[in-house]
Amino acid sequence: MMDVARLAGVSHQTVSRVLNEHKNVSEQTRLKVQAAIAELGYRPDRAARALVTGTSKVIGVVTQNTALYGPAMMLTAFEEAALATGFAVNVSSVRNLDERSIADAVERHLDQRVAGLVVIAPVASAGPALAQLPEHVPLVTIDGDPERTSTLVTVDQVAGARAATEHLLAAGHETVWHISGPSDWFDAAGRVSGWESALRDAGKEIPPLLTGDWSAESGYRNGQLLARLPEATAIFTANDHIALGLLRALSEHGRRVPDDVSIVGFDDVPEAAFYTPPLTTVRPDFDAAARASLELLLAQIEERGADVAARRTIAPSLVARESVAPPGGRVRVPS
């Protein structure tokens, strides 16, 4: 900072005021300081600044080290939203979302004096660790336990699953089968609940639940069974990767999509529009969820007494493509 001050011909206090965006600095002086900063390649020490001012422009995020589309897209969307408001994001990826791993990651963030924490916690094992976090730390949980009393932002999994199931029923199918995600994931549980409630409200039989693990392989494995059941004419899969494996299994058994079997997925991965046939699916609004998470976190940071039990539920949307038709036909079904 002293080097910047000397080059700009100002005091180090003036440099500090420019860095902190104080209003009582003339535009000419501000430009001189910014030019000196650019010439020297100066970068403020965020940790030192937090110690001096008691504030930080860094948000700590804890997430599972996974390539799964949903959590990865949620993290990307949150990083973009935070950067747009002037906050940097420090990410701690853990192998498992268990109590010890989350506690260690949170401790590392607190040692770096982050302004607040976001935990992407879609599995039940994260619950005990979140319950132990210090109450004074601003915290938002994304896709966490809906039963916990805490600030939570989540995609409406139940509504998305209902939309998928109702779309298949509207095409004329007698019932809808479901390949779920892992039972310890809140997203998977919500989608099962939405599927069951849509069938129950329509007075339809609820077929046996088939369980997957988010992978195409689990879709293929369950597809080997479903392909042998002529009554399975409509299938809702918990994500698009499961649908991909299912499509392969049905093709191997001569079951055509959508002529013989209709399929709806969930997530709208970029490849879904290029499946054969293009996949009808449910699209979560990751950007809206990220903005809501950031808004709730900033409210806690700025007002330490902010409501710590605020909830935001983000509605998904159905994307109708070519994988749904009436039983035995290829007539397109309006969304």
Side-chain angles (χ1 to χ4, degrees):
M1 187 181 292
M2 296 301 295
D3 291 339
V4 171
R6 279 191 292 270
L7 182 60
V10 299
S11 68
H12 72 274
Q13 292 95 334
T14 298
V15 175
S16 177
R17 284 194 288 271
V18 171
L19 291 171
N20 288 294
E21 301 179 354
H22 284 197
K23 295 180 180 179
N24 59 339
V25 179
S26 70
E27 185 63 21
Q28 182 179 3
T29 299
R30 189 182 307 276
L31 291 173
K32 286 168 59 179
V33 171
Q34 290 173 342
I37 288 172
E39 181 174 338
L40 294 173
Y42 172 69
R43 296 291 182 272
D45 186 330
R46 294 183 183 273
R49 180 179 178 183
L51 285 170
V52 173
T53 65
T55 62
S56 170
K57 296 291 284 185
V58 180
I59 295 171
V61 176
V62 180
T63 186
Q64 189 171 18
N65 183 11
T66 177
L68 288 172
Y69 182 76
M73 285 301 298
M74 191 68 77
L75 174 60
T76 299
F78 183 83
E79 287 183 297
E80 291 176 352
L83 290 173
T85 60
F87 277 82
V89 175
N90 189 352
V91 180
S92 287
S93 296
V94 297
R95 184 179 297 275
N96 298 301
L97 285 171
D98 54 49
E99 185 172 359
R100 183 71 265 160
S101 298
I102 293 177
D104 289 345
V106 167
E107 193 66 29
R108 290 194 296 272
H109 283 311
L110 295 181
D111 285 345
Q112 296 171 31
R113 297 178 179 269
V114 296
L117 291 170
V118 169
V119 181
I120 302 175
V123 295
S125 59
L130 295 176
Q132 299 301 318
L133 292 181
E135 292 186 2
H136 69 278
V137 177
L139 169 69
V140 171
T141 304
I142 298 177
D143 284 342
D145 185 353
E147 301 301 320
R148 289 191 70 248
T149 305
S150 61
T151 302
L152 174 68
V153 175
T154 183
V155 171
D156 194 335
Q157 312 293 345
V158 174
R162 284 188 65 96
T165 306
E166 290 168 354
H167 184 69
L168 289 162
L169 293 177
H173 296 275
E174 286 301 313
T175 190
V176 178
W177 294 68
H178 181 45
I179 305 176
S180 76
S183 59
D184 60 338
W185 281 66
F186 299 120
D187 290 1
R191 293 169 198 179
V192 170
S193 177
W195 163 71
E196 288 180 336
S197 65
L199 291 177
R200 190 177 299 112
D201 290 349
K204 301 295 186 180
E205 178 185 355
I206 300 177
L209 177 66
L210 302 175
T211 303
D213 59 10
W214 302 127
S215 71
E217 190 278 332
S218 68
Y220 179 79
R221 183 178 64 250
N222 282 291
Q224 296 293 321
L225 169 64
L226 291 169
R228 294 179 169 87
L229 301 177
E231 66 270 27
T233 63
I235 304 168
F236 163 49
T237 64
N239 74 350
D240 294 346
H241 289 110
I242 292 176
L244 179 62
L246 173 63
L247 283 166
R248 169 72 180 271
L250 292 172
S251 176
E252 289 181 353
H253 286 79
R255 302 288 300 278
R256 299 166 300 168
V257 177
D259 299 70
D260 302 318
V261 181
S262 289
I263 300 175
V264 177
F266 205 112
D267 277 346
D268 193 26
V269 300
E271 302 85 0
F274 301 95
Y275 285 8
T276 303
L279 183 67
T280 293
T281 185
V282 176
R283 177 187 294 160
D285 193 338
F286 296 113
D287 290 337
R291 290 193 299 269
S293 302
L294 184 62
E295 180 182 322
L296 292 175
L297 185 65
L298 294 182
Q300 292 184 52
I301 292 170
E302 295 166 3
E303 306 172 25
R304 291 290 172 156
D307 184 4
V308 295
R311 299 291 177 101
R312 296 284 179 84
T313 303
I314 309 301
S317 57
L318 183 78
V319 181
R321 295 196 178 102
E322 299 174 25
S323 62
V324 175
R330 192 181 275 269
V331 178
R332 298 285 291 276
V333 179
S335 59

